[in-house]
Amino acid sequence: MMKNSFKILFVCLFLVSCQQKITPEDIHKLNGYWEIEKVSFKEGEDKEYKMNENFDYFEIANNKGIRRKVRPQFNGTFLFNEDFENVKVRFEKEQVFLDYSTPYAKWTEELVKLTDEEMCIKNDQNKEYEYKKAGPVNLLKDGEETK
């Protein structure tokens, strides 16, 4: 019985130690294009995305910036309109929050994970959005360099 208790304690400590702590130095990793791979719902369901029409584009400097929806094009460029959300990055205790605002609304999401290639954001309904870093893809093979 005692051995099982130690095993459970060890596994719990291992899982806690694997959680990523996001630091102010990591915030630059937000910049760029992000594609949603999966949404996890609190009810336990997951919705996987094989292909997306829209990506999220972040541009953050000094913990402030914008997020906008962009649409990748076949030639490697991105189409966007003038709509965007202001974003402020807020550190509170061990958590990191993204505070969004537009002329019409304000809301907050928790930044759960952030690496060079992956990001996870949780909203106020406990939906977790798992993203992968994306970039331009030139499907036309026209030889032009994509940016």
Side-chain angles (χ1 to χ4, degrees), residues 39-71:
V39 178
S40 300
F41 299 88
K42 67 179 178 180
E43 297 84 24
E45 305 168 18
D46 288 345
K47 180 176 180 180
E48 297 207 21
Y49 290 83
K50 301 294 181 206
M51 190 174 136
N52 294 297
E53 289 184 16
N54 295 307
F55 292 0
D56 285 356
Y57 172 74
F58 284 87
E59 189 175 314
I60 307 289
N62 299 317
N63 291 335
K64 293 181 184 176
I66 63 166
R67 176 177 80 170
R68 73 176 359 137
K69 298 291 183 185
V70 297
R71 187 170 289 217

Side-chain angles (χ1 to χ4, degrees), residues 23-32 60 63 114 116 133:
T23 66
E25 292 77 28
D26 292 323
I27 297 305
H28 73 91
K29 297 174 185 176
L30 267 174
N31 290 325
I60 307 289
N63 291 335
L114 180 62
D116 289 327
K133 194 73 165 226

